[in-house]
Amino acid sequence: MKEDNVIFDIIEREHQRQKKGIELIASENFVSEQVMRAMGSCLTNKYAEGYPGHRYYGGCEVVDEAESIAIERLKELFGAKWANVQPHSGAQANMAVFMACLNPGDKFLGLNLSHGGHLSHGSPVNFSGLMFNALEYNVDRETGRVDYEQMEEVARRERPRLIIGGASAYSREWDYARMRRLADEIGAIFMVDMAHPAGLIAAGLLDNPVKYAHIVTTTTHKTLRGPRGGVIMMGEDFENPWGKTTPKGVVKMMSQLLDSAVFPGVQGGPLEHVIAAKAVAFGEALQPEFREYQLQVQKNAAVLAQALADMGYNIVSGGTDNHCILVDLRTKFPELTGKVAEKALVLADITANKNMVPFDSRSPFQTSGIRLGTPAITTRGAKESLMLEIAEMIDTVLRNPESAENIAAVRAKVNATMQPYPMFAY
Ligand code: PLP
């Protein structure tokens, strides 16, 4: 058959775009060759509704092995007792937890979206906010850190059935123990969505929520550097039936509820090629080199945050503990929106995204901030010295974002700088 040049030309153009640019989107990464190979394999041809050993289709013996390995490696990576590797995405992993733990209309508590929370933690346009009763906690205006006292006040007053920790634009460590105590006090389920820092957690550089939360979800494609997808895990808690009855009134293990919430609750057939790629990525994350990589991600983020702060940028919370940096542009450039900043940076081949900052005076379409992250650029081999250069390049663009000449000069520098850096880690 004739090759589909239309699409393969687009893929090649995207390859070139990724190669020549500086990738600073905090939720992105570059997977290894073998993760890519597993994703592009014949496993995509296989239907396998159900779980290993209990499928609704014949011929699943081989993919059963890959899925079982993915589960075992994931459990080893995070010290979990139970795992489901089938969610097609992070949002679907979260949806399955909601299905398993709540009834429509039930209250739950998550981080305010404009303070760093994720869509699936209660946005009014997402299933979480449409079908359930979303309550929110905030970050503190002064410190930019989660305001645990306000969280406790809302939880004690409203008594939500589920409390969610984790965020999409938050640079600091979490006090999971305090959140678990709060959940126990009000009889709520405590879930952590560690999608962003999962790789740093796997490497032991941040506290592991599997030790504290009843349920932990994550995407597999951010700091964890696997294929796009989601997973759900539990630590010790699942060993016991959920109290006397589950929130749905049935005595069942939470693991059974979660398995059936993923399939047949919110999904049909699992993507076995992606599950195989998840297994490969978990295998990579279990190697000692992965810790070295994550250490560099963290160091690079700290250096970039400090360099920008030294240039007068306001870094929300004053710095970062992880891979993510949230820049409030208002201090240095009161007139510059995140939207204009993002566009100018992208024209200079520096990819980042506009982002709301806590207590933002602008809409989510304009925003007053940009979010930066170091997982992808670190996979390409960046060290601290490149972070200093990147801070300079960002500043040069943002000081003069309307000038095509200025942007073209930075773009030439970006392209020349990235030339020697390979795209894949392995
Ligand atoms: N949870 C958090 C904290 C996220 O940041 C994201 C994505 O950015 C998701 C869930 C959703 O993941 P996905 O895009 O795979 O649905």
Side-chain angles (χ1 to χ4, degrees):
M1 213 202 306
K2 203 166 144 270
E3 186 163 287
D4 187 340
N5 288 331
V6 176
I7 290 301
F8 285 102
D9 284 353
I10 290 172
I11 292 174
E12 183 49 29
R13 273 171 41 220
E14 173 60 12
H15 177 213
Q16 293 306 325
R17 187 196 68 81
Q18 293 184 10
K19 214 165 119 180
K20 71 183 186 175
I22 290 176
E23 182 53 71
L24 295 178
I25 292 188
S27 50
E28 293 188 10
N29 213 328
F30 297 109
V31 298
S32 69
E33 294 275 6
Q34 51 173 358
V35 166
M36 198 72 96
R37 226 166 61 225
M39 266 189 291
S41 71
C42 66
L43 271 62
T44 192
N45 299 333
K46 189 71 200 97
Y47 241 115
E49 283 177 1
Y51 290 99
H54 309 277
R55 304 282 193 183
Y56 291 85
Y57 285 80
C60 293
E61 303 75 21
V62 183
V63 292
D64 274 5
E65 283 183 44
E67 186 166 337
S68 302
I69 291 171
I71 291 168
E72 289 313 312
R73 287 184 182 170
L74 179 64
K75 282 161 51 182
E76 185 182 345
L77 197 54
F78 291 101
K81 293 281 190 262
W82 172 90
N84 184 311
V85 295
Q86 290 194 0
H88 300 332
S89 74
Q92 271 173 285
N94 291 347
M95 192 174 196
V97 176
F98 277 68
M99 285 263 301
C101 299
L102 302 177
N103 289 312
D106 278 354
K107 290 180 187 171
F108 73 96
L109 178 61
L111 178 61
N112 184 336
L113 304 192
S114 60
H115 289 200
H118 185 253
L119 270 180
S120 61
H121 302 178
S123 159
V125 293
N126 179 263
F127 79 88
S128 53
L130 287 165
M131 295 172 58
F132 303 92
N133 189 348
L135 308 164
E136 59 194 27
Y137 57 89
N138 297 328
V139 299
D140 181 86
R141 195 183 275 273
E142 295 307 313
T143 63
R145 293 174 189 242
V146 167
D147 185 344
Y148 291 96
E149 280 177 22
Q150 185 256 345
M151 175 199 294
E152 286 161 354
E153 189 272 311
V154 179
R156 286 177 185 135
R157 176 166 33 89
E158 301 284 346
R159 305 191 82 77
R161 297 191 77 156
L162 174 74
I163 300 178
I164 304 179
S168 292
Y170 186 65
S171 311
R172 295 302 184 175
E173 178 61 292
W174 289 76
D175 192 344
Y176 300 123
R178 184 167 178 176
M179 293 184 75
R180 176 59 192 256
R181 281 198 300 278
L182 177 63
D184 286 346
E185 181 190 321
I186 63 163
I189 292 166
F190 176 34
M191 163 193 150
V192 173
D193 175 350
M194 61 171 182
H196 264 266
L200 294 155
I201 292 166
L205 301 175
L206 292 172
D207 203 3
N208 183 352
V210 174
K211 291 188 291 182
Y212 308 92
H214 297 106
I215 303 168
V216 174
T217 62
T218 181
T219 55
T220 44
H221 47 271
K222 299 187 172 86
T223 46
L224 205 45
R225 205 164 60 181
R228 310 198 74 76
V231 297
I232 310 176
M233 280 173 276
M234 282 194 291
E236 294 294 344
D237 282 312
F238 97 99
E239 296 289 358
N240 301 312
W242 204 251
K244 281 196 175 136
T245 57
T246 67
K248 287 194 180 263
V250 196
V251 179
K252 263 196 178 174
M253 303 287 271
M254 184 52 93
S255 54
Q256 290 174 292
L257 288 172
L258 287 167
D259 271 343
S260 35
V262 174
F263 169 82
V266 299
Q267 291 184 179
L271 310 177
E272 290 298 340
H273 55 307
V274 177
I275 290 172
K278 286 175 180 171
V280 173
F282 301 153
E284 289 173 355
L286 284 162
Q287 305 308 311
E289 305 88 274
F290 190 72
R291 186 164 194 278
E292 294 307 308
Y293 159 65
Q294 296 294 346
L295 263 173
Q296 193 64 50
V297 166
Q298 213 175 22
K299 272 192 226 164
N300 284 350
V303 169
L304 182 56
Q306 190 57 52
L308 291 168
D310 291 345
M311 291 169 179
Y313 289 90
N314 178 13
I315 308 299
V316 174
S317 86
T320 178
D321 295 330
N322 54 30
H323 63 296
C324 178
I325 301 153
L326 189 56
V327 185
D328 186 339
L329 297 165
R330 291 175 297 187
T331 315
K332 182 152 173 165
F333 302 116
E335 303 304 320
L336 180 63
T337 65
K339 186 178 175 187
V340 170
E342 173 190 302
K343 189 162 172 233
L345 288 168
V346 167
L347 286 172
D349 285 344
I350 299 173
T351 323
N353 62 284
K354 64 176 179 290
N355 216 98
M356 295 281 275
V357 293
F359 308 98
D360 206 324
S361 41
R362 294 192 176 97
S363 77
F365 300 105
Q366 298 294 330
T367 82
S368 299
I370 50 169
R371 186 186 65 164
L372 307 172
T374 52
I377 192 77
T378 307
T379 291
R380 293 195 65 179
K383 300 276 191 292
E384 292 90 320
S385 56
L386 182 57
M387 293 299 120
L388 298 175
E389 283 184 53
I390 289 174
E392 290 283 349
M393 291 192 256
I394 291 173
D395 185 53
T396 308
V397 172
L398 297 187
R399 270 191 282 122
N400 215 346
E402 310 288 350
S403 158
E405 231 172 75
N406 180 45
I407 287 172
V410 176
R411 186 170 60 234
K413 192 163 177 214
V414 167
N415 298 159
T417 304
M418 292 317 292
Q419 186 77 28
Y421 287 90
M423 230 179 94
F424 296 104
Y426 295 89

Coordinates of all heavy atoms in Angstrom, one line a residue, residues 27 88-92 94 118 120-121 166-168 193-196 219 221-222 228-230 371, ligand 1:
S27 N 4.4 19.4 31.7 CA 3.8 18.1 31.7 C 4.3 17.2 30.6 O 3.7 16.1 30.3 CB 2.3 18.3 31.6 OG 2.0 19.2 30.5
H88 N -6.8 5.0 30.1 CA -6.2 5.6 28.9 C -5.6 6.9 29.2 O -4.8 7.4 28.4 CB -7.3 5.8 27.8 CG -8.0 4.6 27.4 ND1 -7.4 3.3 27.5 CD2 -9.3 4.4 27.0 CE1 -8.3 2.4 27.0 NE2 -9.4 3.0 26.7
S89 N -5.9 7.6 30.2 CA -5.4 8.9 30.5 C -5.5 9.2 32.0 O -6.2 8.4 32.8 CB -6.1 10.0 29.8 OG -7.4 10.2 30.4
G90 N -4.8 10.3 32.5 CA -4.9 10.7 33.9 C -6.3 11.0 34.2 O -6.8 10.7 35.3
A91 N -7.0 11.7 33.3 CA -8.4 12.2 33.7 C -9.3 10.9 33.8 O -10.2 10.9 34.7 CB -8.9 13.1 32.6
Q92 N -9.0 9.9 33.0 CA -9.9 8.7 33.1 C -9.6 7.9 34.4 O -10.4 7.3 34.9 CB -9.8 7.8 31.8 CG -10.8 8.3 30.8 CD -10.7 7.7 29.5 OE1 -9.8 8.0 28.7 NE2 -11.6 6.7 29.2
N94 N -8.8 9.3 37.1 CA -9.5 10.1 38.2 C -11.0 9.8 38.1 O -11.7 9.6 39.1 CB -9.2 11.6 38.0 CG -7.8 11.9 38.4 OD1 -7.1 11.1 39.0 ND2 -7.4 13.1 38.1
H118 N -6.2 20.6 38.9 CA -6.5 20.1 37.6 C -7.9 20.1 37.3 O -8.8 19.9 38.2 CB -5.9 18.7 37.4 CG -6.0 18.2 36.0 ND1 -6.9 17.2 35.6 CD2 -5.4 18.5 34.9 CE1 -6.8 17.0 34.3 NE2 -5.9 17.8 33.9
S120 N -9.8 17.9 36.2 CA -10.6 16.7 36.7 C -10.7 16.7 38.2 O -11.1 15.7 38.8 CB -9.9 15.4 36.2 OG -8.6 15.3 36.7
H121 N -10.3 17.8 38.9 CA -10.5 17.9 40.3 C -11.6 18.9 40.6 O -11.6 19.5 41.7 CB -9.2 18.4 41.0 CG -8.0 17.5 40.8 ND1 -6.7 17.8 41.3 CD2 -7.8 16.4 40.1 CE1 -5.9 16.9 40.9 NE2 -6.5 16.0 40.2
G166 N -2.7 16.9 45.2 CA -2.1 16.9 43.9 C -2.5 18.0 43.0 O -3.6 18.5 43.2
A167 N -1.7 18.4 42.0 CA -2.0 19.6 41.2 C -1.3 19.5 39.9 O -0.5 18.6 39.6 CB -1.5 20.8 42.0
S168 N -1.7 20.5 39.0 CA -1.0 20.6 37.7 C 0.0 21.8 37.7 O 0.8 21.8 36.8 CB -2.1 20.9 36.7 OG -2.9 19.8 36.5
D193 N -3.5 12.7 43.4 CA -3.2 12.6 41.9 C -1.8 13.2 41.8 O -1.6 14.4 41.8 CB -4.2 13.5 41.2 CG -3.9 13.6 39.7 OD1 -2.8 13.1 39.3 OD2 -4.8 14.1 39.0
M194 N -0.8 12.3 41.7 CA 0.6 12.7 41.7 C 1.1 12.8 40.2 O 2.3 12.7 40.0 CB 1.5 11.8 42.5 CG 1.5 10.3 42.0 SD 2.7 9.4 42.8 CE 2.6 7.8 42.0
A195 N 0.2 13.1 39.3 CA 0.6 13.1 37.9 C 1.9 13.9 37.6 O 2.8 13.4 36.9 CB -0.5 13.6 37.0
H196 N 2.0 15.1 38.2 CA 3.2 15.9 37.8 C 4.5 15.4 38.4 O 5.4 15.1 37.7 CB 2.9 17.4 38.2 CG 2.4 18.1 37.0 ND1 3.3 18.8 36.1 CD2 1.2 18.2 36.4 CE1 2.6 19.3 35.1 NE2 1.4 19.0 35.3
T219 N -0.6 10.2 35.9 CA -0.4 9.9 34.4 C 1.0 9.3 34.3 O 1.8 9.3 35.3 CB -0.3 11.3 33.6 OG1 0.6 12.1 34.2 CG2 -1.7 12.0 33.6
H221 N 3.1 9.9 31.6 CA 3.8 10.6 30.5 C 4.5 11.9 30.9 O 5.1 12.6 30.1 CB 2.9 10.9 29.3 CG 1.6 11.5 29.7 ND1 0.5 10.8 30.0 CD2 1.2 12.8 29.8 CE1 -0.5 11.6 30.2 NE2 -0.1 12.8 30.1
K222 N 4.5 12.2 32.2 CA 5.1 13.5 32.5 C 6.5 13.2 33.1 O 7.3 12.7 32.3 CB 4.2 14.2 33.6 CG 2.8 14.6 33.0 CD 2.0 15.4 33.9 CE 0.7 15.9 33.3 NZ -0.4 14.9 33.4
R228 N 1.7 8.2 26.9 CA 0.6 8.9 27.4 C -0.4 7.9 28.0 O -0.8 6.9 27.4 CB -0.2 9.6 26.3 CG 0.7 10.5 25.4 CD -0.2 11.5 24.7 NE -0.6 12.5 25.6 CZ 0.2 13.5 26.0 NH1 1.4 13.6 25.6 NH2 -0.2 14.4 26.9
G229 N -0.8 8.1 29.3 CA -1.8 7.2 29.9 C -1.9 7.5 31.4 O -1.3 8.4 31.9
G230 N -2.7 6.7 32.0 CA -2.9 6.8 33.5 C -2.8 5.5 34.2 O -2.8 4.4 33.5
R371 N 3.8 28.8 33.0 CA 4.3 27.6 33.7 C 5.5 27.0 32.9 O 5.4 26.8 31.7 CB 3.2 26.6 33.8 CG 3.6 25.4 34.7 CD 2.4 24.4 34.7 NE 2.3 23.8 33.4 CZ 1.6 22.6 33.1 NH1 1.0 22.0 34.1 NH2 1.5 22.2 31.9
Ligands
PLP1 N1 -4.0 15.1 36.8 C1 -3.1 16.1 36.8 C2 -2.6 16.6 38.1 C3 -2.7 16.6 35.6 O1 -1.8 17.6 35.6 C4 -3.2 16.1 34.4 C5 -2.7 16.6 33.1 O2 -2.1 17.6 32.9 C6 -4.1 15.1 34.4 C7 -4.5 14.6 35.7 C8 -4.8 14.6 33.2 O3 -4.1 13.7 32.4 P1 -4.5 13.4 31.0 O4 -4.2 14.6 30.1 O5 -3.7 12.2 30.6 O6 -6.0 13.1 31.0

